Amino acid sequence: LSHTIIPLALPKGTERFCELCQKRAYLECTGCHVTFYCDEDHQQADWVGIHERICQLLIPIRTQTLSQTGRSEILYKKLITICKSEAERKIAEGKHQEALPAAQFFLRCSTDVNGPSAVQLVPAYLLLAEANTGLGDLVSAMEFLSQAEWVVLKSPDCGHEILHRLHRSQGRLHTALGYLESARKHFANDIYHASEEYGADSIISCEGYFLLASVFVKEGKMPVVRSLYSQVKYNTYIMPHMYYFGHSVHTSFCLFFWQVEVDKTLTAILEFVQCDVIADLAQVVLVAHSLSMLWFLRGDSVKVSSVTEVVFDTVTQLHSEKSTATETTNESTLCIHTLYHSLNKV
């Protein structure tokens, strides 16, 4: 999908630079003829990362064939949407290397549209920081987060959504660096801004409680962990899946960004409450119930079956202890049992 170009053969004053590293380019994409690379490795990385999705969209922008300013704005917005969603999807899948080209182009388009100091650049900086954190390049992640923080400091009117995302990214990075006290502060700010923007019981706020609890787990402060886990509203993780249940695959794709984090969150909480020596057994059932609902809506009968065993064992223990939570756990157990058999019939 490329052919070689000779820099010295180009018209005087014309230079071509690599899409990824900005070094002198020697290859040209034969799909759009407006994108260049220093070598085949960078072309392949860009193709897999984002270029395959936007190849033809770049032609009118880079050849200046757009006749109307309005058309240019619409095309840039489309590019920004595609690059942002691709970067988010690949990060959710754990494909951090592939996410970098999409996040880089997201930043480039946002800069072209909004200028170099606009608050709209912050989401791109955060995606680049998250991708680099996933790759273990914490130095680069710190640089991107510093740029995001600087933009926010110069934009005192930026909303709670931007602030929550910035603090969450900073909390994750500081956790990876081992700066646990700083991580706690960032996650606490994350929870505050997420609660102001989405509500205290939203799935985004609940995820903040989980991340803050994960820091206390590292510090061995289990009473605080129990308290924070009690703030997680498990039903909030189910509602988005209930909304999209039965919709088309394309519509359900909107849920993909949540699924990895949701599974990780609820599975970690379930493992914790199961191993906790003073665990609230009713909470074990509630977490297991939420997981079984999610897996049922995804059609995963194997996982529903595995969590059913956990619930039955816990309910048996609750009965033996004559717990006051027996009625609640019986209802959860009945729901899980019904879900499992309904899924098997389907």
Side-chain angles (χ1 to χ4, degrees), residues 254-312:
C254 299
L255 283 174
F256 179 81
F257 304 133
W258 291 110
Q259 289 181 357
V260 175
E261 291 298 326
V262 167
D263 283 359
K264 186 192 303 182
T265 298
L266 293 183
T267 302
I269 294 176
L270 181 59
E271 291 175 354
F272 175 83
V273 294
Q274 282 183 279
C275 298
D276 191 2
V277 292
I278 59 171
D280 180 357
L281 296 180
Q283 188 179 20
V284 175
V285 177
L286 289 174
V287 181
H289 182 197
S290 299
L291 273 172
S292 66
M293 284 286 292
L294 293 176
W295 290 331
F296 168 75
L297 293 173
R298 297 178 201 168
D300 195 334
S301 59
V302 175
K303 289 186 176 180
V304 175
S305 178
S306 66
V307 81
T308 302
E309 297 176 5
V310 173
V311 175
F312 286 160

Side-chain angles (χ1 to χ4, degrees), residues 10 29 60 72 75 106-107 116 123 142 158 165 173 184 204 224 240 248-249 252 259 299 304 306 317 323 326 335:
L10 295 172
C29 173
S72 176
L75 190 52
F106 174 28
L107 176 61
M142 289 178 66
C158 69
R165 294 182 64 179
L173 176 62
R184 291 202 311 267
I204 297 175
V224 182
S248 66
V249 175
S252 299
Q259 289 181 357
V304 175
S306 66
Q317 186 176 350
S323 170
T326 301
C335 287

Side-chain angles (χ1 to χ4, degrees), residues 15-71:
E15 293 188 67
R16 298 287 185 260
F17 299 100
C18 178
E19 186 76 6
L20 295 189
C21 67
Q22 300 304 305
K23 293 181 181 179
R24 177 172 285 185
Y26 297 93
L27 297 176
E28 176 186 279
C29 173
T30 57
C32 61
H33 298 286
V34 292
T35 309
F36 310 94
Y37 304 96
C38 61
D39 58 30
E40 292 181 356
D41 290 339
H42 276 193
Q43 184 190 15
Q44 178 65 17
D46 190 40
W47 180 262
V48 173
I50 190 62
H51 192 69
E52 182 181 11
R53 293 286 310 278
I54 63 174
C55 182
Q56 297 302 305
L57 296 176
L58 298 177
I59 297 174
I61 287 181
R62 293 182 173 174
T63 57
Q64 299 180 345
T65 58
L66 293 172
S67 59
Q68 299 175 356
T69 304
R71 285 184 58 201

Side-chain angles (χ1 to χ4, degrees), residues 127-140:
L127 285 172
L128 284 165
E130 192 169 349
N132 279 283
T133 299
L135 292 171
D137 188 354
L138 302 184
V139 174
S140 295

